[in-house]
Amino acid sequence: MKKYILIITVLLTSLLKLEAQSSEHFFDPDKLMIFGNYYYPEQWDESQWERDIKKMADMGFDFTHFAEFAWGDLEPEDGKYDFSWLDKSVELATKYGLKVIMCTPSPTPPAWLTEKHPDVLIVNDQGITIQHGTRQHASWSSDVYRQYVKRIVTELAKRYGKNETVIGWQIDNEPSHYGVYDYSTNAQQKYRTWLRNKYDRIENLNETWGNAFWSQSYNDFEQIRIPNQRELPVKANPHAILDFRRFCADEVASFVNEQNDILRQYVNKNQWITTNTMPNHHPVDPNRMDRLDFHSYTRYLVTGTDNGHGDQGFRMGSSFVLGFNNDTYRNYPGKIYGVMELQPGQVNWGNYNPQTYPGSIRLWLYHVFSGGGKFVCSYRFRQPLKGSEQYHYGMIRTDGVTLNVGGEEYIQMMEEMKHIRRNFDKKAEMPEDVKRRKAAILYGIDNDWEMLFQPQTFQWNTQQHILRYYKPLKSFGAPVEIVDENHDFGEYPVLIVPAYQLLDEKLVSRWKMYVEQGGHLVLTCRTGQKNREGHLWEKRFAQPIYDLIGTSSLVFDHLPSDKWSKVNFDGKEFLWNNWGEMLTPTENTDVWATYADQFYKGSAAILHKKEGEGSVTYVGVDSDDGKLERAVLRKLYKQAGINILDLPDGVTVEWRDGFYIGLNYTSENYTMQLPPDAEILIGKSVLSPAGVIVWKH
Ligand code: GAL
C-alpha cells in the first residue's frame, strides 16, 4: 500500500511540476502574440464607454485591462461593494469581442480604509507616515491591510472568476513602494519574526552578522530595528542590510503569492494569474513570486534618461533594454512572459519628455515579439485629461476619438501580425547555427544587493557590468538567457557569470562540472569573494575559485574616475577604469591579458584555461567602454569554433518560432545581410532608423 501511495505521490508531484514549468498552454500558439491596452472606465463618463471599447475592437486589439487602481470605486464604503460599472464594462468588452485582464486593486486602498486604520500606512526612513493621495502607500506587513485585500480580492474572484471574457488576472500593479522602504511598526515586527525564523537563537544572528564588531550584539530579537541609515552615524552592518533586503523581497512576494492563492480558489483553470513588475527594481524579486503562472513586466524607453544610439537615439531608447528584459522574464517561474505596459508615445514623468521617433512604438512591439512575448499591452488607451498623468499619451488623443501616434503604430503592427501568422510553421525549430551561439548569463539577486550596499568604488554598477557582456553577445546574434542557479547550465555552450560575489563550494563544483562537460565558462571580477552570508573566507582572498580559474592569488585595485589605465590583450591596448584584479597564473593557465602600467605592470588581468572540450576564462577587469569585454568574448567564440554575426551596437537580430526579426535602433540606415534564400515578410533589407525586418529561410 505504502508503495502505491509513494508512486502516486511521485506521479502527482511530477505532473504538478510539469504544469508549474511552463504556462504555454494558456495562449493560442497560432496567434503568436496578442495585443491589448489599459482602459479605466471609472475615469470616463459612462456615455463614452461603449464608443471607446468599440474603437479598441475596431482597431484590432484582442483584449483590454481593467481595475488595478479602482478599489475606491469597487468598495466605496467599508464592506459595501459596487460592481455595476465593472460588470457593464466587461459586458461591453464581451459585446465587441475583446477579452479582459482583470486586476486586483491592492495598490490603492480607499481613503476610508486608511482613515479608519492609519497603521496600515508605510513609514519612510525619516519616520514620515506616507499618506493617502497617490498609490502603493500601504504596508505588506500590515495584517489589517492584508485582511482588507483578501476581502476585495475574494469578491472580485467570485464575481469574475468564471467569466469567459476574463482571460487572466494581474495582481496589484508594479508591487513595490517605488523606492521607499517601509520602517513602520508592522514592518519592524515582521522583520524580527523573519529573523527569528531564520536564526532561531539570537546567538546565531550575532555570529552571522559579526556583531562582536563594535559591540553590536543583541540580547533579544525584540531589540533589533530595521537598519536605517538615518538612525546611524556610520554605514550600517552589511549583513543586517542583506537580510533586510531579503526580508523585503519575501514580504512583497508573500503579498503577491497570497493574492494568487485566493484567486486560485475561485477562478477558472483557463484564467491565468500574473503580476507586473518593473525590471531590476530593488528589492522586488520575481523569482520569489513563484506561485504565479508567469511574469510580466512594464517598460518605458523614452524618458529623457537614455541617449540610445546616435543622434536620434534619445527618441528610441537603447536596443538592449527590451532584449534584456525579455531574456530575463522568460526565465522566471512559468517560463513564458508578456509585457503588461509598454510606452504609447510621449510620457509625463521623464527627466524631460521627448516625442518618440516615428516607428519606435512599432519597433518595441516587434522587440517584445522577437523575445517570445505572448502578449503586449499598451499603457494606455486614452490620454487622461485630469489627475497625475495629464501629459501622458494614450492610443487616442485628448479629444477621445482621434488616433495618436501609438494608436497608428499599433494598428500597423496588428495588421502585419496577421501576415506573420499566416506564415507561421508550428514545426519550426531553432536553426543549428543560432543554437550554437546561445549563452546564459547567471544572475543572483543576493550578489546585486550585496554590491549595491558595498560597491567598494563609487564607479561600480552591477547592471552596467552585466551589460558589458550582454551587449557583445547581442551583436554576435546570440540568443541569451538570464538565469538563476535553479537552471541547468548544461544546455548553453557559453555561460557567463558576472561578478558573482556570494557563493558556496557546491556552486563552484557545478561550474567545474559544466566545464568538464564541454561548456565555456566566463567568470568576471568580484566572483567568489564571499560566502552566502557575505563573509570573506578564512582563506586566501577569493580562494574557492582559484583552482577553477588557475590563479594562486588575487588582489584588486580601483582608479579615480578621470584616470584610465591600460591592459594589453592580443597585441592591442584597452582602457580600464573601474575595477582591476591582479592574478598569479598557475600551471596550464594561459594569460590572455596583462596590465600595461601602474606598479603592477606585467601582472595578469585575464586568465584562460582549457579543460577537455570546455574552457574557463576569468576576466579580472571591469572597463568603462566595454571594448575589452567584447574582444574577450569574440576571441572565446572564435576559439570555441562558434560562428557569430557582427552587428553594430543598436542593431539586433532574434529568432522566434521560425521567424528572424531584425531591429534597427540606430539613427542611420542599416543594411541587413540576408541569406540568398531569405523570404522577406515585413520590411526590406535596408532598415531605416526604428526600422524592422522579418524574414524566413
Ligand atoms: C507605470 C505604472 C502605470 C502608469 C505608468 C505611466 O509605471 O504602472 O500605472 O503610472 O507608469 O507611465
Side-chain angles (χ1 to χ4, degrees), residues 440-466:
I441 294 181
L442 186 65
Y443 172 81
I445 204 159
D446 277 358
N447 296 308
D448 210 336
W449 290 337
E450 172 74 6
M451 293 185 290
L452 194 64
F453 185 68
Q454 299 201 84
Q456 302 309 315
T457 157
F458 67 100
Q459 298 201 79
W460 181 260
N461 181 321
T462 304
Q463 189 59 20
Q464 289 306 321
H465 179 72
I466 296 174

PDB file of all heavy atoms in Angstrom, residues 440-466:
ATOM      1  N   ALA A 440      24.173  31.782 -21.667  1.00  0.00           N
ATOM      2  CA  ALA A 440      23.385  32.131 -20.488  1.00  0.00           C
ATOM      3  C   ALA A 440      24.221  33.080 -19.639  1.00  0.00           C
ATOM      4  O   ALA A 440      25.452  32.985 -19.619  1.00  0.00           O
ATOM      5  CB  ALA A 440      23.036  30.885 -19.702  1.00  0.00           C
ATOM      6  N   ILE A 441      23.544  33.998 -18.983  1.00  0.00           N
ATOM      7  CA  ILE A 441      24.214  34.858 -18.001  1.00  0.00           C
ATOM      8  C   ILE A 441      23.621  34.505 -16.647  1.00  0.00           C
ATOM      9  O   ILE A 441      22.397  34.532 -16.481  1.00  0.00           O
ATOM     10  CB  ILE A 441      23.989  36.351 -18.325  1.00  0.00           C
ATOM     11  CG1 ILE A 441      24.677  36.700 -19.651  1.00  0.00           C
ATOM     12  CG2 ILE A 441      24.486  37.237 -17.194  1.00  0.00           C
ATOM     13  CD1 ILE A 441      24.555  38.150 -20.078  1.00  0.00           C
ATOM     14  N   LEU A 442      24.487  34.163 -15.714  1.00  0.00           N
ATOM     15  CA  LEU A 442      23.998  33.774 -14.386  1.00  0.00           C
ATOM     16  C   LEU A 442      23.844  35.023 -13.531  1.00  0.00           C
ATOM     17  O   LEU A 442      24.782  35.800 -13.367  1.00  0.00           O
ATOM     18  CB  LEU A 442      24.981  32.791 -13.744  1.00  0.00           C
ATOM     19  CG  LEU A 442      24.528  32.181 -12.419  1.00  0.00           C
ATOM     20  CD1 LEU A 442      23.302  31.306 -12.604  1.00  0.00           C
ATOM     21  CD2 LEU A 442      25.655  31.351 -11.800  1.00  0.00           C
ATOM     22  N   TYR A 443      22.634  35.181 -12.987  1.00  0.00           N
ATOM     23  CA  TYR A 443      22.355  36.359 -12.166  1.00  0.00           C
ATOM     24  C   TYR A 443      21.828  35.890 -10.811  1.00  0.00           C
ATOM     25  O   TYR A 443      20.933  35.052 -10.741  1.00  0.00           O
ATOM     26  CB  TYR A 443      21.301  37.230 -12.864  1.00  0.00           C
ATOM     27  CG  TYR A 443      20.819  38.370 -12.000  1.00  0.00           C
ATOM     28  CD1 TYR A 443      21.565  39.538 -11.892  1.00  0.00           C
ATOM     29  CD2 TYR A 443      19.637  38.262 -11.275  1.00  0.00           C
ATOM     30  CE1 TYR A 443      21.143  40.572 -11.078  1.00  0.00           C
ATOM     31  CE2 TYR A 443      19.206  39.304 -10.454  1.00  0.00           C
ATOM     32  CZ  TYR A 443      19.959  40.453 -10.365  1.00  0.00           C
ATOM     33  OH  TYR A 443      19.543  41.473  -9.552  1.00  0.00           O
ATOM     34  N   GLY A 444      22.382  36.427  -9.744  1.00  0.00           N
ATOM     35  CA  GLY A 444      21.898  36.112  -8.397  1.00  0.00           C
ATOM     36  C   GLY A 444      21.581  37.416  -7.699  1.00  0.00           C
ATOM     37  O   GLY A 444      22.443  38.295  -7.596  1.00  0.00           O
ATOM     38  N   ILE A 445      20.362  37.540  -7.219  1.00  0.00           N
ATOM     39  CA  ILE A 445      19.932  38.837  -6.681  1.00  0.00           C
ATOM     40  C   ILE A 445      20.683  39.197  -5.396  1.00  0.00           C
ATOM     41  O   ILE A 445      20.935  40.371  -5.118  1.00  0.00           O
ATOM     42  CB  ILE A 445      18.397  38.865  -6.509  1.00  0.00           C
ATOM     43  CG1 ILE A 445      17.891  40.306  -6.542  1.00  0.00           C
ATOM     44  CG2 ILE A 445      17.931  38.143  -5.247  1.00  0.00           C
ATOM     45  CD1 ILE A 445      16.427  40.444  -6.887  1.00  0.00           C
ATOM     46  N   ASP A 446      21.107  38.193  -4.621  1.00  0.00           N
ATOM     47  CA  ASP A 446      21.881  38.473  -3.401  1.00  0.00           C
ATOM     48  C   ASP A 446      23.183  39.212  -3.738  1.00  0.00           C
ATOM     49  O   ASP A 446      23.617  40.096  -3.008  1.00  0.00           O
ATOM     50  CB  ASP A 446      22.242  37.168  -2.679  1.00  0.00           C
ATOM     51  CG  ASP A 446      21.109  36.669  -1.790  1.00  0.00           C
ATOM     52  OD1 ASP A 446      20.066  37.349  -1.717  1.00  0.00           O
ATOM     53  OD2 ASP A 446      21.265  35.595  -1.183  1.00  0.00           O
ATOM     54  N   ASN A 447      23.798  38.810  -4.857  1.00  0.00           N
ATOM     55  CA  ASN A 447      25.040  39.487  -5.279  1.00  0.00           C
ATOM     56  C   ASN A 447      24.782  40.952  -5.561  1.00  0.00           C
ATOM     57  O   ASN A 447      25.540  41.831  -5.176  1.00  0.00           O
ATOM     58  CB  ASN A 447      25.583  38.867  -6.573  1.00  0.00           C
ATOM     59  CG  ASN A 447      25.990  37.440  -6.382  1.00  0.00           C
ATOM     60  OD1 ASN A 447      26.739  37.139  -5.479  1.00  0.00           O
ATOM     61  ND2 ASN A 447      25.465  36.561  -7.200  1.00  0.00           N
ATOM     62  N   ASP A 448      23.693  41.169  -6.287  1.00  0.00           N
ATOM     63  CA  ASP A 448      23.330  42.525  -6.665  1.00  0.00           C
ATOM     64  C   ASP A 448      23.125  43.380  -5.404  1.00  0.00           C
ATOM     65  O   ASP A 448      23.673  44.488  -5.273  1.00  0.00           O
ATOM     66  CB  ASP A 448      22.034  42.454  -7.488  1.00  0.00           C
ATOM     67  CG  ASP A 448      21.937  43.571  -8.501  1.00  0.00           C
ATOM     68  OD1 ASP A 448      22.584  44.597  -8.284  1.00  0.00           O
ATOM     69  OD2 ASP A 448      21.196  43.432  -9.488  1.00  0.00           O
ATOM     70  N   TRP A 449      22.361  42.839  -4.445  1.00  0.00           N
ATOM     71  CA  TRP A 449      22.086  43.585  -3.207  1.00  0.00           C
ATOM     72  C   TRP A 449      23.369  43.861  -2.434  1.00  0.00           C
ATOM     73  O   TRP A 449      23.570  44.953  -1.909  1.00  0.00           O
ATOM     74  CB  TRP A 449      21.119  42.793  -2.330  1.00  0.00           C
ATOM     75  CG  TRP A 449      19.726  42.726  -2.880  1.00  0.00           C
ATOM     76  CD1 TRP A 449      19.152  43.598  -3.762  1.00  0.00           C
ATOM     77  CD2 TRP A 449      18.741  41.730  -2.599  1.00  0.00           C
ATOM     78  NE1 TRP A 449      17.865  43.204  -4.037  1.00  0.00           N
ATOM     79  CE2 TRP A 449      17.580  42.066  -3.340  1.00  0.00           C
ATOM     80  CE3 TRP A 449      18.707  40.596  -1.785  1.00  0.00           C
ATOM     81  CZ2 TRP A 449      16.409  41.312  -3.284  1.00  0.00           C
ATOM     82  CZ3 TRP A 449      17.547  39.842  -1.736  1.00  0.00           C
ATOM     83  CH2 TRP A 449      16.416  40.188  -2.475  1.00  0.00           C
ATOM     84  N   GLU A 450      24.207  42.832  -2.362  1.00  0.00           N
ATOM     85  CA  GLU A 450      25.446  42.954  -1.602  1.00  0.00           C
ATOM     86  C   GLU A 450      26.336  44.055  -2.196  1.00  0.00           C
ATOM     87  O   GLU A 450      26.880  44.896  -1.494  1.00  0.00           O
ATOM     88  CB  GLU A 450      26.156  41.588  -1.629  1.00  0.00           C
ATOM     89  CG  GLU A 450      27.553  41.564  -1.061  1.00  0.00           C
ATOM     90  CD  GLU A 450      27.594  41.640   0.454  1.00  0.00           C
ATOM     91  OE1 GLU A 450      26.521  41.606   1.098  1.00  0.00           O
ATOM     92  OE2 GLU A 450      28.718  41.765   0.992  1.00  0.00           O
ATOM     93  N   MET A 451      26.451  44.066  -3.524  1.00  0.00           N
ATOM     94  CA  MET A 451      27.353  45.037  -4.160  1.00  0.00           C
ATOM     95  C   MET A 451      26.728  46.432  -4.219  1.00  0.00           C
ATOM     96  O   MET A 451      27.434  47.428  -4.270  1.00  0.00           O
ATOM     97  CB  MET A 451      27.751  44.536  -5.550  1.00  0.00           C
ATOM     98  CG  MET A 451      28.612  43.285  -5.433  1.00  0.00           C
ATOM     99  SD  MET A 451      29.264  42.667  -6.998  1.00  0.00           S
ATOM    100  CE  MET A 451      27.806  42.067  -7.790  1.00  0.00           C
ATOM    101  N   LEU A 452      25.399  46.460  -4.188  1.00  0.00           N
ATOM    102  CA  LEU A 452      24.714  47.750  -4.142  1.00  0.00           C
ATOM    103  C   LEU A 452      25.072  48.466  -2.831  1.00  0.00           C
ATOM    104  O   LEU A 452      25.303  49.668  -2.794  1.00  0.00           O
ATOM    105  CB  LEU A 452      23.204  47.485  -4.188  1.00  0.00           C
ATOM    106  CG  LEU A 452      22.263  48.626  -4.469  1.00  0.00           C
ATOM    107  CD1 LEU A 452      22.508  49.171  -5.862  1.00  0.00           C
ATOM    108  CD2 LEU A 452      20.804  48.129  -4.376  1.00  0.00           C
ATOM    109  N   PHE A 453      25.144  47.684  -1.762  1.00  0.00           N
ATOM    110  CA  PHE A 453      25.456  48.281  -0.472  1.00  0.00           C
ATOM    111  C   PHE A 453      26.960  48.471  -0.272  1.00  0.00           C
ATOM    112  O   PHE A 453      27.387  49.406   0.395  1.00  0.00           O
ATOM    113  CB  PHE A 453      24.881  47.413   0.663  1.00  0.00           C
ATOM    114  CG  PHE A 453      25.062  48.042   2.011  1.00  0.00           C
ATOM    115  CD1 PHE A 453      24.360  49.198   2.331  1.00  0.00           C
ATOM    116  CD2 PHE A 453      25.943  47.516   2.940  1.00  0.00           C
ATOM    117  CE1 PHE A 453      24.539  49.822   3.569  1.00  0.00           C
ATOM    118  CE2 PHE A 453      26.120  48.128   4.180  1.00  0.00           C
ATOM    119  CZ  PHE A 453      25.417  49.280   4.490  1.00  0.00           C
ATOM    120  N   GLN A 454      27.753  47.566  -0.823  1.00  0.00           N
ATOM    121  CA  GLN A 454      29.212  47.680  -0.676  1.00  0.00           C
ATOM    122  C   GLN A 454      29.869  47.710  -2.051  1.00  0.00           C
ATOM    123  O   GLN A 454      30.565  46.764  -2.434  1.00  0.00           O
ATOM    124  CB  GLN A 454      29.769  46.493   0.116  1.00  0.00           C
ATOM    125  CG  GLN A 454      29.222  46.401   1.509  1.00  0.00           C
ATOM    126  CD  GLN A 454      30.121  45.578   2.403  1.00  0.00           C
ATOM    127  OE1 GLN A 454      31.092  46.082   2.945  1.00  0.00           O
ATOM    128  NE2 GLN A 454      29.806  44.317   2.553  1.00  0.00           N
ATOM    129  N   PRO A 455      29.664  48.783  -2.798  1.00  0.00           N
ATOM    130  CA  PRO A 455      30.221  48.813  -4.163  1.00  0.00           C
ATOM    131  C   PRO A 455      31.749  48.864  -4.158  1.00  0.00           C
ATOM    132  O   PRO A 455      32.385  48.530  -5.130  1.00  0.00           O
ATOM    133  CB  PRO A 455      29.627  50.084  -4.761  1.00  0.00           C
ATOM    134  CG  PRO A 455      29.198  50.924  -3.608  1.00  0.00           C
ATOM    135  CD  PRO A 455      28.912  49.993  -2.466  1.00  0.00           C
ATOM    136  N   GLN A 456      32.334  49.299  -3.081  1.00  0.00           N
ATOM    137  CA  GLN A 456      33.795  49.484  -2.927  1.00  0.00           C
ATOM    138  C   GLN A 456      34.332  50.666  -3.715  1.00  0.00           C
ATOM    139  O   GLN A 456      35.207  51.362  -3.251  1.00  0.00           O
ATOM    140  CB  GLN A 456      34.588  48.213  -3.295  1.00  0.00           C
ATOM    141  CG  GLN A 456      34.206  46.987  -2.489  1.00  0.00           C
ATOM    142  CD  GLN A 456      34.209  47.239  -1.014  1.00  0.00           C
ATOM    143  OE1 GLN A 456      35.125  47.854  -0.472  1.00  0.00           O
ATOM    144  NE2 GLN A 456      33.171  46.815  -0.321  1.00  0.00           N
ATOM    145  N   THR A 457      33.858  50.857  -4.917  1.00  0.00           N
ATOM    146  CA  THR A 457      34.205  52.073  -5.651  1.00  0.00           C
ATOM    147  C   THR A 457      32.898  52.687  -6.122  1.00  0.00           C
ATOM    148  O   THR A 457      32.001  51.955  -6.535  1.00  0.00           O
ATOM    149  CB  THR A 457      35.114  51.815  -6.868  1.00  0.00           C
ATOM    150  OG1 THR A 457      34.945  52.909  -7.790  1.00  0.00           O
ATOM    151  CG2 THR A 457      34.786  50.523  -7.601  1.00  0.00           C
ATOM    152  N   PHE A 458      32.834  54.001  -6.076  1.00  0.00           N
ATOM    153  CA  PHE A 458      31.592  54.654  -6.500  1.00  0.00           C
ATOM    154  C   PHE A 458      31.335  54.418  -7.978  1.00  0.00           C
ATOM    155  O   PHE A 458      30.260  54.682  -8.483  1.00  0.00           O
ATOM    156  CB  PHE A 458      31.645  56.160  -6.176  1.00  0.00           C
ATOM    157  CG  PHE A 458      32.663  56.908  -6.983  1.00  0.00           C
ATOM    158  CD1 PHE A 458      32.290  57.645  -8.090  1.00  0.00           C
ATOM    159  CD2 PHE A 458      34.007  56.865  -6.650  1.00  0.00           C
ATOM    160  CE1 PHE A 458      33.237  58.315  -8.855  1.00  0.00           C
ATOM    161  CE2 PHE A 458      34.960  57.524  -7.407  1.00  0.00           C
ATOM    162  CZ  PHE A 458      34.579  58.245  -8.508  1.00  0.00           C
ATOM    163  N   GLN A 459      32.341  53.881  -8.677  1.00  0.00           N
ATOM    164  CA  GLN A 459      32.157  53.641 -10.111  1.00  0.00           C
ATOM    165  C   GLN A 459      31.540  52.279 -10.401  1.00  0.00           C
ATOM    166  O   GLN A 459      31.285  51.950 -11.550  1.00  0.00           O
ATOM    167  CB  GLN A 459      33.510  53.725 -10.827  1.00  0.00           C
ATOM    168  CG  GLN A 459      34.142  55.075 -10.714  1.00  0.00           C
ATOM    169  CD  GLN A 459      35.153  55.272 -11.821  1.00  0.00           C
ATOM    170  OE1 GLN A 459      34.799  55.565 -12.945  1.00  0.00           O
ATOM    171  NE2 GLN A 459      36.412  55.089 -11.486  1.00  0.00           N
ATOM    172  N   TRP A 460      31.346  51.469  -9.356  1.00  0.00           N
ATOM    173  CA  TRP A 460      30.808  50.130  -9.604  1.00  0.00           C
ATOM    174  C   TRP A 460      29.316  50.202  -9.912  1.00  0.00           C
ATOM    175  O   TRP A 460      28.546  50.858  -9.205  1.00  0.00           O
ATOM    176  CB  TRP A 460      31.035  49.198  -8.408  1.00  0.00           C
ATOM    177  CG  TRP A 460      30.491  47.845  -8.722  1.00  0.00           C
ATOM    178  CD1 TRP A 460      29.298  47.320  -8.332  1.00  0.00           C
ATOM    179  CD2 TRP A 460      31.110  46.857  -9.559  1.00  0.00           C
ATOM    180  NE1 TRP A 460      29.128  46.071  -8.872  1.00  0.00           N
ATOM    181  CE2 TRP A 460      30.228  45.760  -9.630  1.00  0.00           C
ATOM    182  CE3 TRP A 460      32.314  46.796 -10.251  1.00  0.00           C
ATOM    183  CZ2 TRP A 460      30.510  44.611 -10.372  1.00  0.00           C
ATOM    184  CZ3 TRP A 460      32.602  45.659 -10.985  1.00  0.00           C
ATOM    185  CH2 TRP A 460      31.711  44.583 -11.037  1.00  0.00           C
ATOM    186  N   ASN A 461      28.893  49.488 -10.963  1.00  0.00           N
ATOM    187  CA  ASN A 461      27.479  49.426 -11.289  1.00  0.00           C
ATOM    188  C   ASN A 461      27.214  48.024 -11.837  1.00  0.00           C
ATOM    189  O   ASN A 461      27.645  47.688 -12.939  1.00  0.00           O
ATOM    190  CB  ASN A 461      27.160  50.501 -12.349  1.00  0.00           C
ATOM    191  CG  ASN A 461      25.702  50.509 -12.724  1.00  0.00           C
ATOM    192  OD1 ASN A 461      25.061  49.463 -12.850  1.00  0.00           O
ATOM    193  ND2 ASN A 461      25.161  51.699 -12.906  1.00  0.00           N
ATOM    194  N   THR A 462      26.552  47.214 -11.037  1.00  0.00           N
ATOM    195  CA  THR A 462      26.386  45.802 -11.400  1.00  0.00           C
ATOM    196  C   THR A 462      25.657  45.655 -12.732  1.00  0.00           C
ATOM    197  O   THR A 462      26.052  44.862 -13.585  1.00  0.00           O
ATOM    198  CB  THR A 462      25.624  45.058 -10.284  1.00  0.00           C
ATOM    199  OG1 THR A 462      26.342  45.237  -9.069  1.00  0.00           O
ATOM    200  CG2 THR A 462      25.505  43.571 -10.578  1.00  0.00           C
ATOM    201  N   GLN A 463      24.589  46.421 -12.909  1.00  0.00           N
ATOM    202  CA  GLN A 463      23.810  46.310 -14.140  1.00  0.00           C
ATOM    203  C   GLN A 463      24.665  46.638 -15.368  1.00  0.00           C
ATOM    204  O   GLN A 463      24.657  45.930 -16.366  1.00  0.00           O
ATOM    205  CB  GLN A 463      22.574  47.226 -14.049  1.00  0.00           C
ATOM    206  CG  GLN A 463      21.558  47.040 -15.164  1.00  0.00           C
ATOM    207  CD  GLN A 463      21.000  45.610 -15.244  1.00  0.00           C
ATOM    208  OE1 GLN A 463      21.067  44.866 -14.292  1.00  0.00           O
ATOM    209  NE2 GLN A 463      20.491  45.231 -16.398  1.00  0.00           N
ATOM    210  N   GLN A 464      25.453  47.724 -15.248  1.00  0.00           N
ATOM    211  CA  GLN A 464      26.317  48.105 -16.373  1.00  0.00           C
ATOM    212  C   GLN A 464      27.376  47.028 -16.623  1.00  0.00           C
ATOM    213  O   GLN A 464      27.731  46.739 -17.758  1.00  0.00           O
ATOM    214  CB  GLN A 464      27.011  49.456 -16.098  1.00  0.00           C
ATOM    215  CG  GLN A 464      26.077  50.652 -16.153  1.00  0.00           C
ATOM    216  CD  GLN A 464      25.292  50.715 -17.460  1.00  0.00           C
ATOM    217  OE1 GLN A 464      25.804  50.428 -18.522  1.00  0.00           O
ATOM    218  NE2 GLN A 464      24.010  51.065 -17.373  1.00  0.00           N
ATOM    219  N   HIS A 465      27.874  46.455 -15.546  1.00  0.00           N
ATOM    220  CA  HIS A 465      28.883  45.403 -15.669  1.00  0.00           C
ATOM    221  C   HIS A 465      28.305  44.217 -16.450  1.00  0.00           C
ATOM    222  O   HIS A 465      28.939  43.692 -17.369  1.00  0.00           O
ATOM    223  CB  HIS A 465      29.341  44.959 -14.280  1.00  0.00           C
ATOM    224  CG  HIS A 465      30.360  43.869 -14.307  1.00  0.00           C
ATOM    225  ND1 HIS A 465      31.657  44.072 -14.705  1.00  0.00           N
ATOM    226  CD2 HIS A 465      30.260  42.544 -14.030  1.00  0.00           C
ATOM    227  CE1 HIS A 465      32.324  42.922 -14.657  1.00  0.00           C
ATOM    228  NE2 HIS A 465      31.492  41.987 -14.253  1.00  0.00           N
ATOM    229  N   ILE A 466      27.103  43.812 -16.100  1.00  0.00           N
ATOM    230  CA  ILE A 466      26.463  42.685 -16.793  1.00  0.00           C
ATOM    231  C   ILE A 466      26.248  43.047 -18.266  1.00  0.00           C
ATOM    232  O   ILE A 466      26.501  42.244 -19.164  1.00  0.00           O
ATOM    233  CB  ILE A 466      25.126  42.310 -16.106  1.00  0.00           C
ATOM    234  CG1 ILE A 466      25.393  41.803 -14.686  1.00  0.00           C
ATOM    235  CG2 ILE A 466      24.364  41.261 -16.912  1.00  0.00           C
ATOM    236  CD1 ILE A 466      24.155  41.532 -13.849  1.00  0.00           C
TER     237      ILE A 466
END
